[in-house]
Amino acid sequence: MMRPALRLSCLTLATGLAFAGAAARAATTPEADAAFLDAVTWGVSPASHAELRAKGRERWLREQLHPPAGPALPEAAQAQVDALTPKGTLLERISALDAQARAASAEPDPDAKKAAQQAYQGALSAAARDAAAATILRALDSPDQVRERLTWFWLNRFNVHQGKANLRAMVGDYVDAAIRPHALGRFRDLLEATLRHPAMLRYLDNADNAAGHLNENYARELMELHTLGVGSGYTQGDVEALARILTGVGIDARPEDPKLKPERQADLVRAGLFEFNPNRHDYGDKVFLGHAIRGRGWPEIVEALDLIAREPATARTVSAALARYFLGAPPSDALVARLAQVFTRSDGDIAAVLDALFHAPDFAASLGGGFKDPARYVLSAVRLAYDGRTIRNAAPIQGWLNRLGEGLFNRSTPDGYPLGAAAWNGLGQMTTRFEIARQIGSGSAGLFKPAPDMADEPAFPLLQNGLYFSTLSATLSAPTRDALARAVSPQDWNTLFLSAPEFMR
């Protein structure tokens, strides 16, 4: 249990959250660079701060916005990610799991059937846990921190929920194949990558969308949540037209192609589990967003995506969402307009939009002011506490994120988790954060337990490090410094520091 005095100190610090945003400092100061890193990465650490100071902010940012194609990790983290990544293709894994499910359902003995079905569900759950662990390891240890922040942003915007059907076996591939490779590329390519992934097609029911049996779920969310936004001018007729355009876009794990009429055979598109099936497509002409689209199969989808990605409303909506994510507050109309111009001129180049955002005066003014959502809070604490050391067990982090209400792949609705502070700064949330701060600050917290039947490796969070004494201490308010001075042990000091208003931002 947390000592009453310590809890009182934590709650006292929490009352200062509304006043903790520090004024932006000159770009050349260590404090300003620390704030910049906290805003654009998963949290400042001694190593990342030293790297940025050595390279200079412009060179560092240029390398972050244009990283190597393949994600790079330290050797220890890469070994763990490799072990967590399932072998074979997604098609092969889903086919094997489908066979396992069919065998379990066909088992005549009730007890054996129950055990087989539990084994199937266990395999799905293990796949989702491994996917979350690998994503967390990349967020903590990848040198390409801006790409990892964008990966989580796009994953939240193009949200899928692991609880539906067999999505637990798909979410890892969704992150690694559809989201991360396009996180800093062209928005149009990201949009198509999510459209073609079976996780999205299953989650929003387009796998069931066929001529004569229209399902509008994906068409509606694609415009409302992913691109154009509410109130942008599209109509219910546009939703229906897009749903018709998307008929036949679905999933097929069967090795053989569907039987098609000779004149439709060239229209078939298959890639892994993804399939565009001409038999299920509405070949009638459509009118979408004021444009006549001739019925001709897959090229209709390409044309529709081109139209959506280049709509001014998409430029504004996506730019505003990116700005809110990194500013920690709703952006000004003027900033959104400037970013939307960059989006349009660059044909949706996400890196170009971010470059403009990170150089905007609004961004400099926001540093130190945005309230951390649970993922940023937890990951920034671990990055600062164990800089240069790869955790061995991501399960505690998964548990903390779930307790704080922002578990990976756990948002059941397609709108994704909210980005505003009001969703995360309530008393219950703060009390839970204090408990998590105590766990992280008091010891290894299970982060270095290689296996359930093994003991924790020796570890202790090093928060009073060189970065703290040279830079971070200067950013603390007088009440925070006074509270830290009253700490009676390193564990108390760590807990107080991770509970401080300044660390929450």
Side-chain angles (χ1 to χ4, degrees):
M1 293 289 294
M2 184 183 293
R3 293 186 298 101
L6 180 58
R7 182 180 292 279
L8 179 60
S9 297
C10 291
L11 291 172
T12 301
L13 288 172
T15 61
L17 281 171
F19 308 100
R25 298 172 176 85
T28 57
T29 67
E31 294 87 353
D33 282 340
F36 178 82
L37 281 168
D38 241 5
V40 304
T41 74
W42 282 113
V44 65
S45 66
S48 66
H49 190 257
E51 180 190 9
L52 185 145
R53 295 290 291 173
K55 291 180 176 179
R57 191 181 295 188
E58 289 305 313
R59 177 186 165 192
W60 182 90
L61 183 58
R62 186 166 59 251
E63 292 176 357
Q64 288 288 313
L65 293 177
H66 304 281
L73 286 172
E75 184 177 349
Q78 188 63 60
Q80 288 193 65
V81 169
D82 289 344
L84 292 164
T85 303
K87 309 306 178 189
T89 66
L90 181 61
L91 172 60
E92 291 168 341
R93 298 196 299 275
I94 294 300
S95 296
L97 285 166
D98 287 350
Q100 183 180 357
R102 289 192 298 270
S105 297
E107 179 62 54
D109 179 76
D111 292 336
K113 182 174 186 174
K114 181 179 179 180
Q117 290 175 333
Q118 288 176 339
Y120 169 69
Q121 293 296 327
L124 293 178
S125 296
R129 283 196 304 270
D130 288 350
T135 306
I136 287 168
L137 282 164
R138 290 192 186 280
L140 288 173
D141 284 359
S142 174
D144 303 325
Q145 280 288 294
V146 172
R147 175 160 58 192
E148 291 307 313
R149 279 289 305 277
L150 262 293
T151 296
W152 283 53
F153 170 80
W154 294 124
L155 178 62
N156 193 53
R157 188 168 186 84
F158 295 94
N159 182 56
V160 300
H161 182 233
Q162 65 177 347
K164 186 167 185 176
N166 60 352
L167 258 69
R168 282 170 287 173
M170 298 183 183
V171 288
D173 188 83
Y174 182 61
V175 177
D176 294 339
I179 302 293
R180 184 178 291 106
H182 304 285
L184 282 164
R186 288 176 67 244
F187 180 77
R188 166 65 175 77
D189 297 335
L190 172 66
L191 187 61
E192 182 169 338
T194 57
L195 178 147
R196 292 174 68 109
H197 200 279
M200 178 62 73
L201 297 175
R202 178 62 68 208
Y203 174 60
L204 288 180
D205 303 317
N206 208 82
D208 302 321
N209 184 24
H213 300 280
L214 213 59
N215 189 306
E216 299 177 1
N217 287 358
Y218 180 45
R220 186 181 311 280
E221 305 301 359
L222 191 155
M223 289 192 286
E224 179 178 317
L225 298 177
H226 301 170
T227 58
L228 300 168
V230 177
S232 59
Y234 68 85
T235 67
Q236 174 59 27
D238 290 318
V239 174
E240 295 171 1
L242 184 57
R244 290 178 60 208
I245 291 168
L246 292 172
T247 51
V249 174
I251 303 168
D252 192 353
R254 294 172 296 182
E256 67 277 1
D257 289 344
K259 294 181 179 179
L260 301 169
K261 297 177 179 179
E263 64 271 21
R264 297 295 187 208
Q265 288 178 357
D267 292 354
L268 177 67
V269 180
R270 297 194 73 181
L273 279 173
F274 172 80
E275 178 182 76
F276 172 75
N277 187 338
N279 287 337
R280 298 169 56 82
H281 182 65
D282 178 347
Y283 274 85
D285 294 340
K286 297 95 176 171
V287 176
F288 176 60
L289 299 178
H291 296 265
I293 294 183
R294 182 172 56 84
R296 60 200 190 282
W298 175 252
E300 296 174 49
I301 291 93
V302 173
E303 183 179 357
L305 292 182
D306 288 342
L307 288 171
I308 294 170
R310 289 170 179 155
E311 274 285 311
T314 296
R316 290 191 300 269
T317 302
V318 174
S319 295
L322 284 166
R324 183 182 182 112
Y325 181 60
F326 283 103
L327 266 64
S332 67
D333 292 342
L335 176 60
V336 172
R338 290 197 300 272
L339 298 180
Q341 288 177 349
V342 176
F343 187 102
T344 301
R345 286 199 309 266
S346 66
D347 197 20
D349 186 325
I350 298 163
V353 175
L354 287 184
D355 188 57
L357 171 62
F358 294 156
H359 285 94
D362 308 55
F363 180 76
S366 75
L367 295 179
F371 188 79
K372 294 178 182 176
D373 63 282
R376 285 186 66 199
Y377 174 70
V378 170
L379 294 175
S380 63
V382 175
R383 273 176 60 81
L384 186 60
Y386 293 104
D387 180 44
R389 183 170 181 181
T390 297
I391 66 169
R392 300 294 303 277
N393 176 23
I397 295 177
Q398 295 183 51
W400 295 330
L401 294 178
N402 286 328
R403 286 180 62 194
L404 290 169
E406 201 179 24
L408 258 175
F409 316 124
N410 270 351
R411 178 74 170 182
S412 61
T413 53
D415 56 345
Y417 290 113
L419 300 179
W424 309 115
N425 63 4
L427 181 59
Q429 173 86 193
M430 299 309 300
T431 301
T432 304
R433 288 195 187 202
F434 297 145
E435 292 300 321
I436 292 170
R438 180 179 60 80
Q439 291 180 48
I440 296 173
S442 299
S444 62
L447 295 170
F448 297 90
K449 192 173 186 178
D453 58 346
M454 298 177 69
D456 261 358
E457 295 176 354
F460 190 78
L462 299 177
L463 296 170
Q464 292 190 69
N465 50 38
L467 178 64
Y468 171 77
F469 289 111
S470 69
T471 303
L472 300 183
S473 60
T475 69
L476 302 179
S477 67
T480 296
R481 289 196 298 270
D482 290 344
L484 292 173
R486 294 194 299 270
V488 298
S489 69
Q491 290 86 347
D492 279 5
W493 192 97
N494 289 340
T495 302
L496 286 166
F497 179 76
L498 295 177
S499 303
E502 292 85 354
F503 193 79
M504 298 287 181
R505 295 188 176 275

